[in-house]
Amino acid sequence: MLTARHVILCSLIICFGIASVNAQPDLSRRISINVINGRLEYVLQEISKSANVELSYSSKKIDLAQNVSIQKTNAPLAEILNELVRQANIDYMIVEDHIVIKRGKRKKRVLPDGPFHYTLSGYIRDSESDEVLIGATVYVAGLEKGTISNEFGYYSLTLPSGSHAIRFSYIGYRTISWQTNLLADHVIDMKLGLEPSKLEEVKIVKIDDEIDLSQIRTGNINLEPRSIERMPAFLGEQDLIKSLDAIPGISLQGDGSTLFFVRGGNKDQNLILIDDAPIYNPAHFLGIFSTFIPEAIKDINIYKGDIPAEYGGRLSSLIDVRSKDGDLNKTIVTGGLGLATAKIAVEGPITKSKSSFFVSGRTSYIKWYVQQFNPNIQRFYFTDLNAKFNFRLGPKDRLFLSGYAGKDYFSQGTETSNGSGISWQNLAGTIRWNHLFSDKLFSNTTLYSSKYDYYFIINVTDNNYWNSHIANLSLKTDYTWFANPDLTMRFGGKLTRHNFKPGNFEFGSDPGNPNIPVVPKKVAREWTLYISNNHVLTPRLSLRYGLRLGIWQNIGEATEYMYDKWHNPIDTLTYAAGAVYNTYTRLEPRFGLTYQVGRNASIKASYCRTAQYLQLVTNSISPFTTLEVYLPAAPNIKPQLADQYAVGYFQKIRRAHLDLSIEGFIKKQQNQIDYTDHAYMLMNPHIEKELRFGTGEAYGFEVLLKKYQGRLNGWIGYAWARSWRHIEDINNNERYRAAWDRPHDFSLYLSYNITDRWMISMNWLYMTGFAFSSPTSFYRYNGYTVPIYEKKNNDRLPDYHRLDINTEIQLNKKPRRFSHKLRFTIFNLYNRTNPIAVNFNKTLNPNGDPVVPGDLYLPPELFPSQRYIYGIVPAINYVFTIK
């Protein structure tokens, strides 16, 4: 018989039993844990806290110092413990209300059950400024695999799980070797410090020795801004565009010009970008200087061929310039004074380690100098302004705001005249947003706009001028998918609106002359889609293949003229605003191959098709900036096309620290433009009837030998190339050489560090003279001597050559917060007079009167005279830095 005591005792036993059962650990409870390469003891403590469970273990029986990696989000406790069992030599069991961790029965640790590959990703930065490093190398020697950081410093490398030695390196920086046991995805932002012994070395291709043979592509050079700073330059003004003439395959028109030609292409077939925004005219001071100064530049990537699929719009080359982000840790002021300009740059943190700014400006004071030769000059100046702001919005997002403004102004006149002149200006702005969708998927979305205006000022006082204008507004998005170390995919798209004003007169208070013709404005819309792969097939063979789709649409409001086969206008068509009245669709395949021959050599080949939908229309061969008109592809102007085939050989001579590159190319061009004789280009509504179309062909080879380490470094380059054209109604319908056909091009650049504070450099250039049309005979008509031209570009200017030297002396004996240096330059050391033009004049005596021939019935004699810009030009510049 149960008594009250028995009932109470049974109830207590049952309740205690239930309580004991409820106190057992709940293995289905979900927790999150994120530990990379951490001690087992620490991981067990984190699990105990997060799951609120008791973990019992003995340090004598378990190796608590071993490293494990677990990245789990909202995962059951059982799944996390099972992952520990797989990674460490442990096991576990539940004993009443706690979990006992004990030694496992296996003799070895095992790797996690799939996936067996994990991703190592992050940003590579400068340890002092926190600026990202473009093209830095991440290399795994044991696997002979690696990658390079993209244009925003991001890298992603998927590797098998296990122990790896990872090497992070960048030219001029200390290499860091990092050992890891990769058992989960790992995000690591690596910071590299400058290596003092390499601060003054000149580098061209910024790829690490271990993997450069597989990364090198035809026609691509990555130029260091520091190498430009050391090169001799006119008036000591170091200049990106002018430095290009030391690279085989790129030639400038001559002294006083920023016009350049790449592998037989025309001057308007080169795309120049600053932070993705195009610069239409990079000239200052009539072409003697250019818009880019090395102090504002972080990276320069030059493509003469094998242009990546994400870029297009020009036939011959891409100059991709990235400006500095700004120091995230400290404020730095740099500046300089020279004979022609003064410049200053300020950079520093807005919020330390999270946001920064960079602002630089340059202005000229050259007017006093040119007034010595022409006292009627009223105004003569140019200015530059660069600005960039960089914000880290979080671990996965970054925002960049950047802009550039440049202006030139020149006017002359007397006290009694109203004055005339020319002016031009570039404006460019970019907003970029970087986002990481995952450690393998990187995106960059960009909104940018560019504008270029050219003014021919008729009357300064009344503000009467002729103006041509081109502008664009673009939105693009680019994605990079790092699938694995052997496959990187890029894809994206872009939408652009182009505006063209081919040149009209504008009048201030004066309404103007109603009889002056008006050239219709043009509007176009461009759609772009692309996809490309970088695919490593074997340790020796890698492929790059891609496709770019371009759709060009002419939209109204617009007026178009139709012409007959004799180029006479026969009809006028008008289109309403917003109407699409013409469309061109072009596919541009890209293909590249690199085959590694042993450890020190590789063979490379590529095919690249490019399309160009806008063209610079000018029939002037002047080296100076001239009246410039841009026209879009339209019903009467088909898009230009080019197919370039290239093959090359690369050899690394490691003991001598030499790189040898040899490349050959063939380029076929369609829908090339030239002009009918005596073409009327200014204020002509029917300017299209002055154009003639045909084909172009260029071919040649280039050799570059560079030394990249030691006190003495530099390079020797040689290019042999020909460029031909075959245009309807030009040169009697026969093939003729292009004006920029210059078969021989030789360059020698050397830099020598005499001491740690004293450097000297030299640059010698030689190239065949520019082609031009020379009269073959003359005849007299009504008292005038009239030239007769039989062939186009049948003659050449004398060969161009020049020697420049530069020396730089650091005034500080030891590194300090304030450092300064002097730079002495002698441009054109042996006073070579390189002509830019040839004129045919009547022979004059010392008094300036025509020479009277013995036979009065004979016409006056003619003789050619040459014009050149400058001889020997010495200069001194002062540069300072405050940190």
Side-chain angles (χ1 to χ4, degrees):
M1 181 176 182
L2 295 175
T3 64
R5 180 184 295 179
H6 290 112
V7 172
I8 294 172
L9 181 59
C10 290
S11 300
L12 290 174
I13 293 172
I14 292 171
C15 292
F16 180 76
I18 293 173
S20 299
V21 172
N22 287 339
Q24 286 186 347
D26 182 6
L27 297 183
S28 65
R29 181 171 184 174
R30 295 180 175 272
I31 64 172
S32 298
I33 186 168
N34 186 1
V35 177
I36 301 296
N37 213 26
R39 286 168 55 93
L40 175 60
E41 183 178 19
Y42 171 76
V43 174
L44 292 175
Q45 291 171 356
E46 289 297 305
I47 293 174
S48 178
K49 292 178 184 177
S50 300
N52 193 25
V53 297
E54 290 286 339
L55 298 181
S56 300
Y57 47 84
S58 171
S59 60
K60 295 180 179 180
K61 296 182 179 181
I62 297 176
D63 180 11
L64 296 177
Q66 61 181 305
N67 291 334
V68 294
S69 296
I70 295 183
Q71 288 182 305
K72 297 288 185 181
T73 302
N74 198 28
L77 176 59
E79 180 181 332
I80 294 174
L81 291 174
N82 290 336
E83 182 69 17
L84 277 181
V85 170
R86 295 186 186 100
Q87 294 189 36
N89 188 17
I90 65 171
D91 209 337
Y92 71 93
M93 62 182 297
I94 298 175
V95 179
E96 296 183 348
D97 62 346
H98 60 279
I99 299 175
V100 176
I101 307 297
K102 60 181 182 177
R103 181 186 298 170
K105 297 179 180 180
R106 301 185 310 272
K107 294 182 178 180
K108 294 183 178 179
R109 297 175 59 193
V110 296
L111 297 176
D113 293 339
F116 288 96
H117 288 76
Y118 296 103
T119 300
L120 185 70
S121 62
Y123 291 89
I124 303 178
R125 310 179 192 276
D126 182 292
S127 61
E128 291 189 7
S129 67
D130 258 6
E131 283 237 19
V132 298
L133 300 177
I134 301 173
T137 298
V138 184
Y139 187 70
V140 186
L143 300 177
E144 295 187 351
K145 293 185 180 297
T147 188
I148 58 176
S149 57
N150 68 7
E151 57 269 34
F152 300 101
Y154 183 77
Y155 75 93
S156 178
L157 188 62
T158 301
L159 302 170
S161 53
S163 180
H164 299 289
I166 314 293
R167 192 176 73 177
F168 297 85
S169 61
Y170 188 73
I171 286 181
Y173 286 71
R174 294 186 179 94
T175 297
I176 291 181
S177 294
W178 183 67
Q179 188 75 32
T180 181
N181 189 23
L182 192 61
L183 299 171
D185 293 339
H186 196 164
V187 176
I188 178 168
D189 292 344
M190 185 60 67
K191 296 184 178 183
L192 303 182
L194 287 169
E195 186 171 351
S197 63
K198 294 186 178 180
L199 282 175
E200 300 302 327
E201 292 182 7
V202 176
K203 306 290 183 182
I204 299 179
V205 180
K206 300 192 299 186
I207 303 177
D208 186 77
D209 284 353
E210 296 292 344
I211 65 169
D212 60 358
L213 300 186
S214 64
Q215 296 289 339
I216 287 177
R217 58 201 302 162
T218 59
N220 177 220
I221 289 180
N222 199 260
L223 196 63
E224 278 272 7
R226 284 196 300 270
S227 67
I228 297 176
E229 293 176 6
R230 296 166 60 95
M231 295 181 71
F234 181 74
L235 290 179
E237 294 291 326
Q238 274 66 28
D239 190 304
L240 167 59
I241 299 299
K242 292 301 185 70
S243 68
L244 297 179
D245 60 3
I247 298 175
I250 303 179
S251 60
L252 268 69
Q253 181 162 332
D255 290 337
S257 175
T258 56
L259 303 176
F260 63 96
F261 308 87
V262 180
R263 288 189 170 178
N266 204 345
K267 58 191 176 185
D268 68 334
Q269 296 176 356
N270 307 303
L271 178 61
I272 303 174
L273 302 178
I274 178 166
D275 293 334
D276 290 327
I279 299 296
Y280 294 103
N281 180 6
H284 276 318
F285 191 39
L286 300 176
I288 292 178
F289 304 115
S290 80
T291 55
F292 300 107
I293 55 176
E295 290 82 359
I297 298 172
K298 177 170 63 177
D299 187 75
I300 308 148
N301 221 344
I302 302 168
Y303 295 91
K304 299 178 290 181
D306 196 10
I307 299 174
E310 56 262 40
Y311 297 105
R314 301 294 190 277
L315 295 191
S316 292
S317 74
L318 165 67
I319 313 296
D320 186 17
V321 179
R322 301 283 169 171
S323 63
K324 287 184 176 179
D325 297 338
D327 197 301
L328 282 158
N329 298 321
K330 59 183 179 297
T331 300
I332 300 175
V333 179
T334 60
L337 293 172
L339 299 182
T341 69
K343 52 192 174 185
I344 190 168
V346 183
E347 60 180 306
I350 300 173
T351 301
K352 193 169 183 179
S353 300
K354 291 184 177 180
S355 58
S356 64
F357 71 93
F358 178 90
V359 178
S360 69
R362 176 173 64 164
T363 187
S364 67
Y365 35 78
I366 199 73
K367 184 179 77 169
W368 67 270
Y369 177 74
V370 294
Q371 279 182 330
Q372 310 305 312
F373 303 91
N374 185 355
N376 292 327
I377 290 178
Q378 298 173 336
R379 302 175 70 186
F380 200 168
Y381 69 87
F382 67 84
T383 59
D384 285 307
L385 178 64
N386 289 83
K388 192 170 185 179
F389 300 90
N390 159 40
F391 302 92
R392 294 183 186 175
L393 305 180
K396 293 187 176 182
D397 296 278
R398 292 190 69 182
L399 182 68
F400 300 88
L401 308 175
S402 59
Y404 168 78
K407 182 178 181 179
D408 282 72
Y409 193 95
F410 166 78
S411 65
Q412 63 178 353
T414 63
E415 294 181 358
T416 58
S417 68
N418 291 320
S420 60
I422 58 174
S423 176
W424 65 91
Q425 62 181 13
N426 287 285
L427 293 174
T430 303
I431 302 174
R432 289 182 294 171
W433 169 47
N434 293 170
H435 178 68
L436 281 174
F437 288 94
S438 70
D439 50 16
K440 291 187 177 183
L441 184 58
F442 179 93
S443 74
N444 175 57
T445 301
T446 305
L447 176 68
Y448 67 83
S449 181
S450 296
K451 187 178 84 164
Y452 171 67
D453 282 279
Y454 185 93
Y455 301 93
F456 177 51
I457 305 168
I458 308 300
N459 188 308
V460 174
T461 304
D462 295 336
N463 196 29
N464 298 337
Y465 58 87
W466 176 89
N467 169 235
S468 69
H469 165 93
I470 182 173
N472 73 80
L473 177 63
S474 300
L475 176 65
K476 73 167 188 169
T477 183
D478 303 290
Y479 295 88
T480 305
W481 179 42
F482 302 91
N484 56 61
D486 297 331
L487 182 63
T488 301
M489 178 183 292
R490 294 176 180 266
F491 56 94
K494 182 175 70 169
L495 173 62
T496 303
R497 178 184 174 92
H498 299 271
N499 293 284
F500 302 84
K501 189 163 76 171
N504 284 302
F505 268 110
E506 303 286 344
F507 298 92
S509 56
D510 185 354
N513 187 344
N515 296 322
I516 295 179
V518 176
V519 182
K521 299 178 181 179
K522 308 282 186 180
V523 179
R525 184 166 56 214
E526 183 181 7
W527 305 81
T528 302
L529 294 172
Y530 75 89
I531 185 170
S532 66
N533 277 328
N534 192 341
H535 197 172
V536 179
L537 297 180
T538 72
R540 291 182 178 271
L541 178 63
S542 62
L543 299 179
R544 296 174 302 277
Y545 47 91
L547 184 65
R548 180 182 178 88
L549 171 65
I551 301 174
W552 180 271
Q553 297 176 322
N554 299 99
I555 59 179
E557 183 177 0
T559 300
E560 296 285 350
Y561 302 100
M562 299 294 105
Y563 303 93
D564 60 20
K565 62 180 180 180
W566 295 283
H567 309 286
N568 297 313
I570 57 175
D571 197 5
T572 301
L573 304 176
T574 58
Y575 301 95
V580 177
Y581 64 88
N582 182 67
T583 300
Y584 289 111
T585 302
R586 295 292 184 268
L587 283 174
E588 303 172 44
R590 314 283 172 88
F591 177 80
L593 175 151
T594 302
Y595 182 76
Q596 191 165 331
V597 184
R599 182 171 178 263
N600 297 320
S602 66
I603 298 171
K604 49 190 177 176
S606 68
Y607 163 72
C608 180
R609 163 164 280 205
T610 48
Q612 181 167 329
Y613 300 95
L614 55 88
Q615 30 276 319
L616 175 63
V617 179
T618 174
N619 62 347
S620 171
I621 61 171
S622 167
F624 302 112
T625 298
T626 54
L627 301 178
E628 296 177 333
V629 173
Y630 279 90
L631 290 179
N636 295 310
I637 304 176
K638 294 181 180 180
Q640 300 182 57
L641 294 175
D643 295 282
Q644 183 177 157
Y645 307 84
V647 62
Y649 175 79
F650 179 84
Q651 174 74 49
K652 181 173 285 293
I653 308 170
R654 297 181 187 271
R655 290 188 176 181
H657 306 297
L658 296 174
D659 285 349
L660 172 66
S661 177
I662 303 173
E663 289 189 20
F665 71 92
I666 298 175
K667 185 187 293 184
K668 302 285 187 179
Q669 298 171 312
Q670 303 176 41
N671 305 323
Q672 299 302 284
I673 297 175
D674 210 328
Y675 313 95
T676 186
D677 295 339
H678 313 296
Y680 172 44
M681 308 297 291
L682 187 63
M683 294 182 302
N684 183 2
H686 296 284
I687 192 172
E688 292 171 337
K689 80 183 187 70
E690 308 291 341
L691 308 181
R692 299 295 182 266
F693 303 94
T695 60
E697 180 183 20
Y699 49 85
F701 68 88
E702 302 157 5
V703 180
L704 179 65
L705 177 67
K706 54 185 172 63
K707 187 176 186 298
Y708 54 86
Q709 188 170 330
R711 286 186 176 272
L712 176 66
N713 46 55
W715 66 82
I716 301 174
Y718 172 76
W720 178 87
R722 302 305 307 269
S723 182
W724 302 89
R725 290 194 147 196
H726 193 174
I727 307 292
E728 174 194 11
D729 298 335
I730 304 295
N731 200 48
N732 299 318
N733 288 321
E734 296 178 359
R735 188 178 79 154
Y736 61 93
R737 60 191 177 195
W740 51 92
D741 173 65
R742 311 179 84 163
H744 301 286
D745 186 347
F746 179 86
S747 60
L748 171 64
Y749 170 71
L750 295 174
S751 174
Y752 183 70
N753 296 326
I754 300 174
T755 68
D756 292 339
R757 297 170 49 214
W758 184 15
M759 177 277 301
I760 188 169
S761 64
M762 59 84 65
N763 189 36
W764 187 72
L765 302 172
Y766 169 87
M767 64 187 75
T768 307
F770 210 73
F772 73 100
S773 300
S774 169
T776 54
S777 59
F778 299 86
Y779 68 92
R780 298 279 295 171
Y781 179 77
N782 288 339
Y784 293 96
T785 302
V786 181
I788 298 176
Y789 298 88
E790 292 185 1
K791 299 289 184 179
K792 186 176 179 69
N793 295 336
N794 62 324
D795 209 343
R796 291 189 183 276
L797 295 176
D799 291 350
Y800 182 99
H801 53 91
R802 189 188 77 232
L803 173 64
D804 312 320
I805 63 171
N806 175 62
T807 186
E808 189 176 281
I809 301 174
Q810 187 75 36
L811 301 180
N812 297 77
K813 293 183 178 181
K814 296 181 180 180
R816 296 177 182 173
R817 286 194 60 206
F818 176 79
S819 62
H820 54 150
K821 58 187 176 182
L822 285 175
R823 184 181 296 136
F824 300 92
T825 304
I826 302 180
F827 190 82
N828 196 9
L829 179 64
Y830 52 78
N831 198 30
R832 165 73 175 178
T833 55
N834 290 298
I836 62 170
V838 174
N839 294 320
F840 290 86
N841 307 301
K842 294 180 179 180
T843 306
L844 304 178
N845 62 22
N847 296 324
D849 300 319
V851 174
V852 179
D855 187 346
L856 296 180
Y857 293 98
L858 292 177
E861 296 181 7
L862 296 178
F863 76 99
S865 62
Q866 301 176 354
R867 291 188 177 183
Y868 67 96
I869 299 179
Y870 38 63
I872 184 171
V873 182
I876 181 172
N877 295 72
Y878 174 74
V879 181
F880 66 89
T881 301
I882 305 173
K883 295 185 179 181

